[in-house]
Amino acid sequence: MQGLMQDRPLLISSLIEHANAFHPGAEIVSRTVEGPIHRCTYADIRRRAKQVANALTALGVRAGERIGTLAWNGFRHMELYFGVSGMGAVLHTINPRLFPEQIAYIVDHADDQYLFFDLTFAPLIARLAPQLKGVKGFVAMTDRAHMPAIDVPNLVCYEELVGEHTDDFDWPMLDENAASSLCYTSGTTGNPKGVLYSHRSTVLHSFAVCAADGIALSARDSALLVVPMFHVNAWGTPYAGAMSGAKLVMPGPNLDGKSVYELMRDERVTVALGVPTVWLMLFGHVEANSLDPRRELTLQRVVIGGSAAPRTMCEHFESRFGAFALHAWGMTETSPIGTVCNLLPKHVGLPLAGRLDVQKKQGRPLFGVELRITDDDGRRLPHDGVAFGHLMVRGPWIAASYFKSEGGDLLDADGFFDTGDVATIDPDGYMQITDRSKDVIKSGGEWISSIDIENAAIGHPAVGEAAVIGVAHEKWQERPLLVVVRKPGQDVSREELLHFLEGKVAKWWLPDDVQFVTELPHTATGKLQKIRLREMFRDYRLPAAAA
């Protein structure tokens, strides 16, 4: 027997229609590349998204064709989010921090028909345009007065293109499983691979972001999207913002501590989302200028993702900003939100030190996400908080395969995707990443968590950044080497650091040596690039005493 409910497709266009109907005056505030702060509403976004849809239709763009963007967080990018996907085309957000050769590869691989770009990237477009033979035209996301003087074929002004068309457009009634947007992985071990989201997966993911045990985004929030719109659709918050009616604050290209702090203050931000490196710049600005965030800001919670947040970062937000640090985990293949570290009732009354023991974990899975951990042979491991193994995930917003079947079969016999992470899961369901599977240190047949050692090392006041890699050892196969970047003007010795780590990690996990460097290598998405780090220390030998 079938239920007797209406069958309405879950479409991205329905999100902006809802925002227009019930939150038309909620603001989208953007710091523009041209300089000034721009203010508009969801009603404005909906109107101009329809103009975008008409403009693309006039250009001959058909359902399923890809439209590329090289753009920061801003109102024009938001218009493309809804206009491109709403008309049935596929929005392909491109990470401009990738190597130019990688950008050219993915534009070609995605078969992008048109490429929209912010002024920041005009020189990059000029350099790449001769290689992008499949792109029919390039659209500068600005007005006529600021058009870049670059020699590229079929260069179009965004404001003129949009302004030529009306907002009289009926969103098509698409199949909810139709493709809506495309993001590529950062490609640290080969060419980037495309993850193709659907309307259905995007809307379901938006529900999870708005859920109380998700990010709890609501109409009462002013949300600062420090996470770029080219990083897994800004963690889904532009869509969740339309679903909830939250005010969205877009920082454009200015992600320095001063710019972020001023937006937090001036726009009365209640929730901010970003990666640890941005928050470290924010801390530096606050400390250098002796600011008082508790008095000047209205910040309530900070979502930290992209890489593991040190315990000290969570503590700093609580003590200096009066804000709850909400650790989250995900990846391009998971849309990206997979787990969020909200507290259970039994944790609420704990002292800060006890709560931080929980908050440093990546959190519990949201409804719709299933997790398990397995050993090297695929056998399930217990969720006891002790055993750690390969993190496997499945759910309605988890990738089933890569675009154009790159990479072959992704799922195991039970439909689970191997994330490449190594993790533990405790009896309460809290997951904690201990390593990437390719980075795990195997010493004497046992695994050592490099992330736990790194987070402990970051707690030293003289340490700006830390990384741990495994190096060869005659007896134990591998032993940990700690690589450290000192904070400017600070000093710390090998012996001081090793003593500092005693009691903070298992004794047999203590690094056998410490090396100091001026900087660590990072990927285009800001993640630590341990492949390059291992290459840097390929010929390194541990001190003879450690043998």
Side-chain angles (χ1 to χ4, degrees):
M1 178 181 291
Q2 298 292 306
L4 300 176
M5 296 291 102
Q6 295 181 17
D7 186 11
R8 301 288 295 173
L10 302 176
L11 300 177
I12 287 174
S13 58
S14 68
L15 297 175
I16 196 63
E17 287 299 316
H18 172 80
N20 179 69
F22 299 103
H23 306 282
E27 280 191 308
I28 312 297
V29 180
S30 307
R31 174 173 277 131
T32 62
V33 176
E34 296 88 345
I37 295 290
H38 179 277
R39 295 180 184 275
C40 64
T41 65
Y42 281 109
D44 296 325
I45 295 291
R46 182 250 195 183
R47 174 177 52 83
R48 284 176 47 101
K50 289 197 167 197
Q51 290 177 267
V52 166
N54 274 323
L56 292 175
T57 301
L59 290 172
V61 175
R62 296 172 297 179
E65 291 186 327
R66 272 73 68 198
I67 301 297
T69 67
L70 276 165
W72 300 105
N73 294 11
F75 71 99
R76 294 187 180 105
H77 209 175
M78 185 91 164
E79 292 162 8
L80 291 170
Y81 259 55
F82 291 98
V84 173
S85 299
M87 68 169 288
V90 177
L91 182 74
H92 173 207
T93 54
I94 303 166
N95 183 353
R97 295 169 181 159
L98 294 172
F99 296 118
E101 296 77 16
Q102 289 180 314
I103 294 175
Y105 169 83
I106 65 174
V107 169
D108 179 67
H109 189 269
D111 299 315
D112 288 334
Q113 299 297 296
Y114 288 87
L115 189 51
F116 289 69
F117 65 94
D118 267 332
L119 293 178
T120 310
F121 310 115
L124 178 62
I125 291 293
R127 174 181 172 184
L128 292 178
Q131 305 173 48
L132 308 178
K133 302 299 185 183
V135 177
K136 297 176 181 177
F138 299 86
V139 183
M141 296 167 65
T142 189
D143 55 23
R144 173 53 60 182
H146 294 89
M147 281 294 287
I150 55 175
D151 183 18
V152 299
N154 301 318
L155 180 63
V156 178
C157 172
Y158 181 91
E159 288 299 329
E160 291 179 353
L161 176 66
V162 172
E164 290 173 358
H165 297 274
T166 73
D167 62 353
D168 183 13
F169 184 88
D170 293 327
W171 302 118
M173 192 60 67
L174 306 169
D175 182 336
E176 65 178 19
N177 290 300
S180 63
S181 57
L182 177 65
C183 292
Y184 278 72
T185 63
S186 54
T188 57
T189 56
N191 285 327
K193 297 178 179 63
V195 180
L196 190 60
Y197 309 113
S198 68
H199 287 260
R200 178 178 186 269
S201 70
T202 302
V203 173
L204 290 175
H205 183 269
S206 300
F207 278 117
V209 174
C210 295
D213 281 327
I215 309 301
L217 195 65
S218 78
R220 295 175 296 281
D221 280 313
S222 172
L224 176 63
L225 307 190
V226 183
V227 55
M229 292 170 76
F230 53 77
H231 279 184
V232 206
N233 297 330
W235 301 347
T237 43
Y239 305 117
M243 176 179 279
S244 64
K247 174 182 176 180
L248 299 184
V249 182
M250 311 284 203
N254 297 41
L255 304 180
D256 59 283
K258 179 177 184 291
S259 298
V260 168
Y261 189 88
E262 288 175 353
L263 279 179
M264 284 183 169
R265 181 195 63 208
D266 298 345
E267 301 304 327
R268 308 294 290 170
V269 166
T270 59
V271 57
L273 305 93
V275 298
T277 51
V278 174
W279 301 137
L280 290 174
M281 289 191 290
L282 176 66
F283 292 169
H285 173 70
V286 168
E287 292 171 8
N289 294 277
S290 302
L291 301 175
D292 185 359
R294 277 185 173 270
R295 182 177 61 83
E296 295 185 327
L297 304 183
T298 55
L299 195 63
Q300 298 172 5
R301 58 199 189 280
V302 178
V303 184
I304 308 173
S307 58
R311 177 192 177 102
T312 52
M313 180 171 288
C314 299
E315 183 176 16
H316 197 80
F317 270 122
E318 182 109 11
S319 60
R320 290 296 306 279
F321 288 70
F324 182 80
L326 198 58
H327 212 171
W329 168 85
M331 54 199 309
T332 308
E333 292 88 343
T334 64
S335 294
I337 303 295
T339 64
V340 181
C341 197
N342 284 293
L343 300 178
L344 293 173
K346 67 180 182 180
H347 302 133
V348 175
L350 291 176
L352 178 59
R355 285 198 287 109
L356 290 173
D357 287 339
V358 180
Q359 286 175 248
K360 70 179 182 180
K361 300 182 179 183
Q362 278 71 34
R364 289 155 46 89
L366 304 172
F367 173 77
V369 177
E370 298 178 67
L371 298 182
R372 65 170 55 166
I373 51 175
T374 66
D375 62 17
D376 288 339
D377 297 318
R379 292 187 292 262
R380 293 187 66 173
L381 296 172
H383 294 184
D384 58 7
V386 178
F388 52 99
H390 301 283
L391 181 63
M392 313 291 289
V393 60
R394 71 179 179 187
W397 58 81
I398 313 301
S401 61
Y402 290 121
F403 185 49
K404 296 185 177 179
S405 300
E406 298 282 338
D409 294 334
L410 294 190
L411 309 183
D412 68 8
D414 294 327
F416 278 83
F417 170 73
D418 187 345
T419 65
D421 285 320
V422 176
T424 64
I425 303 176
D426 70 19
D428 288 323
Y430 286 93
M431 184 272 291
Q432 184 170 11
I433 303 291
T434 60
D435 245 314
R436 292 290 290 169
S437 59
K438 62 180 180 292
D439 297 330
V440 71
I441 300 169
K442 296 180 180 178
S443 182
E446 299 290 340
W447 287 358
I448 294 176
S449 169
S450 65
I451 291 178
D452 280 354
I453 303 174
E454 290 161 0
N455 285 342
I458 287 289
H460 192 285
V463 174
E465 198 172 5
V468 173
I469 58 173
V471 293
H473 191 283
E474 291 182 6
K475 179 178 181 181
W476 302 112
Q477 182 184 359
E478 282 186 321
R479 289 296 298 160
L481 169 68
L482 175 61
V483 186
V484 168
V485 177
R486 297 184 179 97
K487 287 182 179 178
Q490 299 288 325
D491 194 22
V492 61
S493 68
R494 168 189 184 275
E495 291 70 25
E496 287 177 282
L497 266 182
L498 293 178
H499 178 69
F500 176 78
L501 291 175
E502 291 177 1
K504 294 180 174 64
V505 297
K507 185 175 181 180
W508 65 278
W509 284 16
L510 287 172
D512 283 22
D513 198 13
V514 180
Q515 292 288 299
F516 296 95
V517 296
T518 55
E519 63 178 4
L520 294 174
H522 293 87
T523 69
T525 55
K527 296 179 181 178
L528 190 62
Q529 200 168 25
K530 290 194 176 179
I531 292 176
R532 285 186 55 199
L533 195 61
R534 285 193 290 268
E535 290 174 355
M536 290 167 56
F537 288 91
R538 180 176 53 196
D539 299 325
Y540 173 82
R541 295 292 178 268
L542 289 167

